Amino acid sequence: MAIAVLKLIFSILFLSSFIIPGYNCQEFSRKSSKKEFGLKREKLSHLHFYFHDILSGRNPTAVQVASAAMTNTSSTLFGAVIMIDDPLTVGPSMTSKLVGRAQGIYASVDLDEVGLLMVLNFAFVEGKYNGSTLSVLGRNNVLSAVREMPIVGGSGLFRYARGYAQAKTHQFNLQTGDAIVEYNVYVFHY
């Protein structure tokens, strides 16, 4: 019985490869045109917003999810991994208009200075970018006045995006670890 069912499934899969138009199971890749994907002229956009990283209080937006045995004795918190769902606002005040959220992780990756690996998406909820995302993957040298991180992709209106994000600390609370960071993002997209 089981063998008969397997034969039937394989027969259906084999025959369906002939029915699906444009599909060639022997083809690994093929050239595509921009027109085929509806891609037009590339644009450069500048986005400006504030990132609110809140570790304290009853409703933190950033929580430590992992650490190494040495994290608490390290001057750089080496090994700490923080999961975030941080609000992005038009102005530095938490009460200013919400334009999106920074969702992902950052981790302390440097033994000698405060350096973070940033792996996150800017998920936008406002205006024409509502539902679109930008993906950041890079190093954040926190103690530098201005840090630059690459934009490695995106979705929605930011599909095929590339560019960079500049981060500048607007406010940092040494006691709580809460921070407000100003972002200027320059991104090429279609």
Side-chain angles (χ1 to χ4, degrees):
M1 174 74 170
I3 294 175
V5 171
L6 284 174
K7 284 183 180 181
L8 178 64
I9 291 172
F10 286 126
S11 297
I12 291 170
L13 289 174
F14 176 74
L15 291 173
S16 68
S17 68
F18 295 110
I19 306 170
I20 301 171
Y23 176 74
N24 180 349
C25 64
Q26 299 300 313
E27 186 176 281
F28 173 67
S29 70
R30 65 181 178 88
K31 290 192 178 214
S32 299
S33 68
K34 288 181 181 181
K35 185 177 179 183
E36 182 180 350
F37 289 96
L39 302 177
K40 298 176 180 142
R41 199 167 146 238
E42 195 172 39
K43 298 175 255 189
L44 173 63
S45 293
H46 172 211
L47 302 162
H48 178 259
F49 50 82
Y50 290 83
F51 171 110
H52 299 265
D53 197 43
I54 305 162
L55 290 99
S56 68
R58 292 169 30 172
N59 298 308
T61 61
V63 294
Q64 185 170 326
V65 295
S67 63
M70 68 180 287
T71 298
N72 291 332
T73 59
S74 167
S75 63
T76 64
L77 297 175
F78 181 77
V81 179
I82 313 295
M83 183 74 62
I84 65 168
D85 185 12
D86 289 345
L88 304 175
T89 61
V90 170
S93 169
M94 269 295 287
T95 59
S96 68
K97 186 175 189 175
L98 182 75
V99 295
R101 302 200 71 86
Q103 298 172 325
I105 61 171
Y106 59 82
S108 180
V109 295
D110 196 316
L111 288 166
D112 299 318
E113 60 185 18
V114 183
L116 303 175
L117 168 64
M118 307 289 285
V119 182
L120 57 94
N121 289 311
F122 294 136
F124 298 102
V125 298
E126 181 58 38
K128 70 179 183 178
Y129 299 122
N130 184 18
S132 296
T133 66
L134 287 171
S135 298
V136 177
L137 174 63
R139 178 174 165 68
N140 183 347
N141 190 12
V142 177
L143 298 179
S144 295
V146 178
R147 290 89 68 193
E148 186 173 300
M149 292 163 278
I151 300 294
V152 297
S155 67
L157 289 180
F158 293 121
R159 187 178 296 142
Y160 297 108
R162 69 189 194 295
Y164 65 97
Q166 288 183 326
K168 181 179 178 184
T169 302
H170 177 77
Q171 183 178 326
F172 179 70
N173 184 319
L174 279 170
Q175 289 182 322
T176 64
D178 295 352
I180 301 170
V181 181
E182 181 180 14
Y183 271 85
N184 281 287
V185 178
Y186 301 91
V187 61
F188 285 99
H189 60 99
Y190 289 95

